[in-house]
Amino acid sequence: MSKIPSLTLERNAVDTVPCVTHAKLFQHELLEEPSSASTAEQRRTLSGLTRMAEEICLNCPLMTNCLYAAVVRYDVAGYAAGTTERQRAAMRSKLGWRVTPENLDIFTGRTSGRQVEHDEVIRLRRVNPADSLETIAERLNCSVSTIKRHLRMERRGGTSGVTPRLKLVPPSKEQVITALHEVTGVLGQVRQLRVA
Ligand code: SF4
């Protein structure tokens, strides 16, 4: 049974990145994969978790830059910058923009830029079911985030098939905030976000 982790929001006492301070919340399995909430209780739990994480992100001094990076530069896994993976994908679709998980790996220095083969991830998972995701990531010299993404893609039976019309020029921060507004319906707080 999923439980909401005990959490005290400390809006102005940010000694470190808020999502790191509240790692138990941001790494909660339901928040990482909202589609896994199958029972009414899990959905209620997910709703509570999402509200807490959203409040933390919207009050985070890094919010605007974090949102831009998570939408435009790196395909991070899980909940980030007040958005789920699905919401960020919808925002990219609106913006005509696409990023790959490997962008994040290059940024974190986990790979030389070689694309991680989807079939290789699935093969390693099948032949070594007891291995942790960290072990598989180490073998493929990529991030755990990338491994998770390939496994999810496999569970969902492949990509969505939606191919947005792509632009060559990255969207601006204003455009990303507008897309956030359109996709999540978060209104008041987003208007107050400063575009750095
Ligand atoms: S906005 Fe980004 S950096 Fe700030 S708490 Fe949310 S995920 Fe973390």
Side-chain angles (χ1 to χ4, degrees):
M1 182 189 309
S2 301
K3 285 196 165 44
I4 298 176
S6 70
L7 177 72
T8 305
L9 303 186
E10 297 172 351
R11 292 188 186 189
N12 299 317
V14 182
D15 295 319
T16 181
V17 181
C19 51
V20 175
T21 306
H22 300 297
K24 249 205 291 192
L25 167 66
F26 279 80
Q27 290 173 15
H28 193 285
E29 57 191 10
L30 287 176
L31 204 54
E32 284 222 319
E33 185 141 28
S35 61
S36 67
S38 53
T39 67
E41 184 180 348
Q42 286 176 330
R43 284 193 287 275
R44 271 197 303 277
T45 302
L46 175 60
S47 171
L49 293 169
T50 305
R51 273 200 305 277
M52 286 192 286
E54 183 182 277
E55 184 174 355
I56 290 171
C57 287
L58 290 177
N59 287 288
C60 172
L62 306 172
M63 169 68 186
T64 307
N65 287 340
C66 178
L67 176 69
Y68 190 82
V71 172
V72 177
R73 295 194 180 128
Y74 315 115
D75 196 3
V76 297
Y79 193 91
T83 56
T84 62
E85 279 185 63
R86 190 169 290 225
Q87 288 170 332
R88 291 194 296 278
M91 289 170 65
R92 287 188 202 105
S93 186
K94 278 183 179 293
L95 293 163
W97 190 248
R98 188 166 60 198
V99 291
T100 68
E102 284 69 29
N103 286 9
L104 179 63
D105 287 343
I106 292 166
F107 173 69
T108 57
R110 294 301 305 268
T111 180
S112 59
R114 178 181 66 84
Q115 291 271 318
V116 174
E117 295 291 339
H118 177 76
D119 290 348
E120 184 61 2
V121 174
I122 303 308
R123 187 188 71 76
L124 283 178
R125 187 59 169 162
R126 285 193 180 134
V127 296
N128 306 295
D131 278 0
S132 67
L133 299 187
E134 285 79 6
T135 303
I136 298 174
E138 270 171 28
R139 282 196 187 145
L140 294 175
N141 193 25
C142 66
S143 65
V144 172
S145 177
T146 291
I147 299 299
K148 282 185 186 173
R149 187 173 309 282
H150 281 287
L151 294 176
R152 283 178 204 169
M153 194 188 301
E154 183 71 7
R155 283 200 295 275
R156 291 170 188 165
T159 58
S160 67
V162 177
T163 308
R165 201 154 53 86
L166 300 180
K167 293 177 182 163
L168 294 176
V169 179
S172 66
K173 285 183 179 173
E174 289 88 344
Q175 288 171 320
V176 170
I177 289 174
T178 299
L180 172 70
H181 180 139
E182 291 170 357
V183 167
T184 67
V186 175
L187 297 172
Q189 300 98 318
V190 174
R191 288 204 188 100
Q192 291 162 21
L193 291 176
R194 293 249 161 77
V195 177

